[in-house]
């Protein structure tokens, strides 16, 4: 599954930039489908994704179709899952081989002969897209991308099975921290010697790996490389939506308010998520649109947060106190 959690959030959000009279209905159903997935109601999730695609004239964004395939696979409906996978592979030129082959949601599909067909198509898509790349460096960064994501993708399952405060979860995040430290050494060496490399040099996965590793680093490292990423975004070498996430994270760590509303935190007392302190809440959707992010209400619904701007402004002083306590 491509979750709106951690680094994969930007891809999911960016995929929502659709237009037309049925857009609102599509977004509503997509949000509902994802929530059903989160609640492990996989069959209902797949059916709701199907309704969303119908609402848009049998169209759908690549990441939404991918997520639909995950729900169908977990519901043990392989035929429906493969319909979506073939659509993104053949029509969407899907290239994220590393993610699809490591996504445990799709494990039930691996014995099916159609799985090999899908992977063959995606491999060809990837090779075509990367024909002019610095392939050794792209491969190295892709491996870093996999390393950054594969353990984080286990967090939901471990949390649901053992709990947030369990020894198993603690052990997982200890491992993630160790891997992050190793990845950071490799990525900063690349950035210091070659700068922020675009997808034309290291591919989409490699380019995203640069962002993910910095996004998951300490505040000093983020502050050091944030200006470099800003310049890269101006030159088309970094995603504006990814940059927005890093901007928000740095601001919050500096004790300031975020700008784009990308950062959500957990209230450990209530067990509920809340939107971290946000500057100028009234105009946040305008700012999000400018960097390729969907509207805030749809985004925060993934954490069961209901966006009410007036209520949020009333709660903001309390949220800022909670944020200070976290630092």
């Amino acid at each position: 599954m491509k979750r709106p959690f951690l680094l994969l959030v930007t891809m999911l959000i960016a995929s929502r930039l659709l237009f037309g009279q049925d857009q609102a209905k599509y977004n509503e159903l997509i949000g509902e489908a994802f929530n059903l997935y989160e609640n492990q109601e996989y069959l209902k999730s797949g059916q709701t994704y199907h309704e969303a695609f119908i609402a848009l004239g049998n169209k759908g964004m690549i990441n939404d179709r991918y997520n639909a395939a995950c729900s169908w696979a977990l519901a043990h409906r392989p035929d429906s899952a493969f319909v979506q996978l073939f659509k993104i592979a053949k029509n969407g030129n899907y290239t994220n081989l590393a993610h699809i082959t490591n996504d445990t949601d799709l494990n039930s599909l691996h014995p099916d002969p159609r799985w090999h067909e899908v992977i063959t198509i995606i491999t060809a898509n990837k090779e075509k897209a990367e024909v002019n790349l610095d392939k050794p460096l792209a491969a190295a960064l892709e491996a870093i991308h996999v390393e950054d994501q594969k353990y984080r993708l286990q967090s939901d399952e471990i949390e649901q099975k053992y709990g947030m405060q369990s020894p198993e979860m603690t052990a997982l995040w200890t491992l993630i921290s160790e891997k992050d430290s190793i990845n950071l050494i490799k990525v900063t060496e690349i950035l210091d010697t070659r700068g922020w490399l675009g997808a034309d040099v290291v591919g989409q996965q490699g380019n995203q790996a640069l962002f993910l590793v910095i996004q998951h680093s300490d505040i000093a490292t983020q502050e050091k490389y944030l200006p470099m990423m800003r310049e890269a975004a101006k030159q088309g070498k970094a995603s504006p939506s990814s940059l927005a996430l890093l901007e928000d994270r740095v601001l919050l760590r500096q004790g300031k308010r975020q700008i784009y509303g990308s950062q959500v935190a957990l209230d450990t007392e209530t067990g509920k998520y809340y939107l971290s302190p946000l500057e100028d809440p009234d105009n946040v959707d305008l700012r999000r649109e400018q960097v390729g992010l969907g509207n805030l209400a749809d985004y925060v619904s993934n954490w069961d947060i209901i966006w009410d701007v007036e209520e949020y402004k009333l709660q903001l002083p309390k949220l800022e106190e909670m944020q200070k306590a976290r630092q």
Side-chain angles (χ1 to χ4, degrees):
M1 191 75 166
K2 289 188 179 295
R3 297 174 174 82
F5 179 60
L6 311 167
L7 56 65
L8 295 174
V9 63
T10 54
M11 296 177 66
L12 182 65
I13 300 167
S15 73
R16 305 285 173 80
L17 300 178
L18 304 171
F19 300 92
Q21 61 180 357
D22 297 318
Q23 177 61 56
K25 183 63 174 178
Y26 178 86
N27 284 345
E28 177 185 347
L29 289 168
I30 289 297
E32 181 181 341
F34 187 86
N35 287 334
L36 286 166
Y37 166 89
E38 290 283 89
N39 292 326
Q40 300 183 27
E41 297 184 61
Y42 302 124
L43 180 58
K44 289 183 179 179
S45 176
Q47 291 168 338
T48 306
Y49 274 117
H50 180 66
E51 291 176 25
F53 303 144
I54 291 176
L56 208 63
N58 290 319
K59 297 178 181 178
M61 299 307 292
I62 290 175
N63 289 333
D64 294 332
R65 287 197 180 278
Y66 180 98
N67 289 346
C70 290
S71 292
W72 285 124
L74 291 167
H76 303 290
R77 298 293 181 91
D79 291 346
S80 296
F82 278 113
V83 166
Q84 301 304 325
L85 292 180
F86 277 115
K87 282 183 180 293
I88 66 171
K90 292 181 178 180
N91 303 331
N93 292 316
Y94 185 83
T95 62
N96 197 341
L97 184 63
H99 184 83
I100 195 170
T101 53
N102 284 281
D103 193 339
T104 57
D105 283 356
L106 302 174
N107 280 356
S108 66
L109 304 180
H110 293 187
D112 193 300
R114 290 172 290 184
W115 178 255
H116 177 70
E117 294 179 45
V118 168
I119 297 303
T120 298
I121 296 170
I122 293 172
T123 301
N125 292 343
K126 185 173 182 292
E127 291 175 351
K128 182 178 179 180
E130 298 179 352
V131 65
N132 294 320
L133 298 188
D134 181 334
K135 292 186 178 179
L137 185 56
L141 282 169
E142 184 172 309
I144 289 172
H145 189 287
V146 171
E147 197 80 350
D148 181 275
Q149 289 295 290
K150 69 179 180 180
Y151 300 110
R152 285 179 164 87
L153 290 173
Q154 299 173 16
S155 62
D156 284 352
E157 181 180 352
I158 291 178
E159 179 183 351
Q160 291 171 6
K161 188 173 182 180
Y162 300 105
M164 177 66 79
Q165 307 300 327
S166 65
E168 289 81 3
M169 182 63 79
T170 299
L172 176 65
W173 280 103
T174 298
L175 176 60
I176 289 173
S177 180
E178 292 172 355
K179 298 296 184 181
D180 284 353
S181 297
I182 295 170
N183 288 339
L184 184 59
I185 293 171
K186 296 175 181 178
V187 163
T188 53
E189 182 179 359
I190 294 169
L191 294 175
D192 290 343
T193 56
R194 298 191 59 176
W196 202 287
L197 301 171
D200 59 328
V201 178
V202 293
Q204 291 290 347
Q205 289 301 105
N207 179 254
Q208 185 73 358
L210 298 176
F211 158 70
L212 289 176
V213 172
I214 299 302
Q215 178 77 343
H216 297 149
S217 67
D218 59 275
I219 180 61
T221 300
Q222 291 176 340
E223 290 176 333
K224 177 180 178 180
Y225 292 101
L226 179 56
M228 182 185 290
M229 189 177 183
R230 287 174 181 154
E231 187 60 32
K234 291 179 183 178
Q235 299 173 3
K237 296 180 180 180
S239 164
S241 57
S242 295
L243 174 61
L245 269 65
L246 183 57
E247 296 275 14
D248 277 356
R249 183 162 291 192
V250 169
L251 285 169
L252 288 171
R253 283 181 152 186
Q254 292 173 338
K256 303 174 184 177
R257 296 178 180 180
Q258 61 177 323
I259 297 173
Y260 302 100
S262 66
Q263 303 299 303
V264 171
L266 177 67
D267 184 339
T268 55
E269 292 186 3
T270 65
K272 296 181 179 180
Y273 288 95
Y274 63 91
L275 182 66
S276 298
L278 173 67
E279 185 69 32
D280 186 19
D282 291 300
N283 296 301
V284 61
D285 279 336
L286 176 60
R287 297 192 298 275
R288 290 173 65 86
E289 182 180 2
Q290 290 171 343
V291 295
L293 297 176
N295 69 73
L296 186 61
D298 286 344
Y299 175 58
V300 298
S301 69
N302 291 300
W303 289 272
D304 295 324
I305 300 172
I306 298 174
W307 176 241
D308 182 327
V309 66
E310 297 303 326
E311 179 65 21
Y312 181 81
K313 287 188 288 187
L314 292 175
Q315 294 293 321
L316 193 50
K318 178 183 177 181
L319 298 180
E320 290 189 302
E321 289 301 317
M322 293 170 63
Q323 185 65 29
K324 289 179 182 178
R326 290 170 58 89
Q327 294 175 335

